Amino acid sequence: MVWHQFFVRVAALAIVAAACRPALAARPLITDDARIVDPKACQLESWMQFQSGGNELWALPGCNPTGNLELTLGGSLQRVDGGWDGTNVQFQAKTLLKPLETNGYGIALSGGVIHHPDAEPGKVLGNLYVNVPVSFSFADDRFVAHLNLGANRDTGNRQTRMTWGAGTETQLHPRVFLIAETFGENRGKPSFQAGFRFWVVQDRVQVDTTYGNVFGGGSGARFFTVGLRLLSPAFLP
């Protein structure tokens, strides 16, 4: 089976799995980290986002077929007029420039494309982005901080915006982490998000929940998320 067929099938399975739930960083962070899924393994990051503009269902399956190249292909559905409409399709490639070490730091490089087929039917390529995540480990990985700097290119109006993010993971228990972050662009108000991550099965099944908003955005911009992350053992050839 060729790789694009493999990822299309995984994406379809991911959406089904996420829909059965009552519900480019490890969930629930939007700020990316200097880590990738294990070599020859795959993961599924899925979540429901509840907001005033319409609820969204996201599913982003990804695999690391080479050992240092994580490929992700997925997207989102939005609840509109009692039905689900496709709103986003995303593809990303991510590699480690320096693996994150305990009590050390790591650097990664990611890039990809996000397309909004319903909102931008005339746009063939979609919007391009690139990001450099840097992560720092403290206290034997009990506290990890992430910094991001990148750019987003709108291919329709040919505008480029700088993107940034700063997030933290604090271990409260071997299975429970406190997540907090702020992120934004060089235009407009930044956003924030905070919540918890819980390992149901250590290093295999994770659930999470967060609350977020735009600084000064009021009730109209706030959002809640509930997520499920699944990680496989190595199985790819």
Side-chain angles (χ1 to χ4, degrees), residues 4 19 41 43 46 59-60 65-66 79 81 89 93 95 102 108 110 123 133 184 197 200 237:
H4 77 274
Q43 69 173 354
S46 62
L60 293 175
T66 70
R79 187 77 171 176
D81 298 327
V89 177
T95 188
T102 299
S110 65
K123 185 184 293 187
R197 171 193 298 160
V200 179

Side-chain angles (χ1 to χ4, degrees), residues 167-187:
T168 61
E169 307 173 35
T170 305
Q171 185 179 34
L172 306 179
H173 178 275
R175 291 179 180 266
V176 182
F177 290 80
L178 171 66
I179 305 298
E181 67 176 334
T182 180
F183 51 91
E185 300 179 339
N186 61 321
R187 304 176 187 177

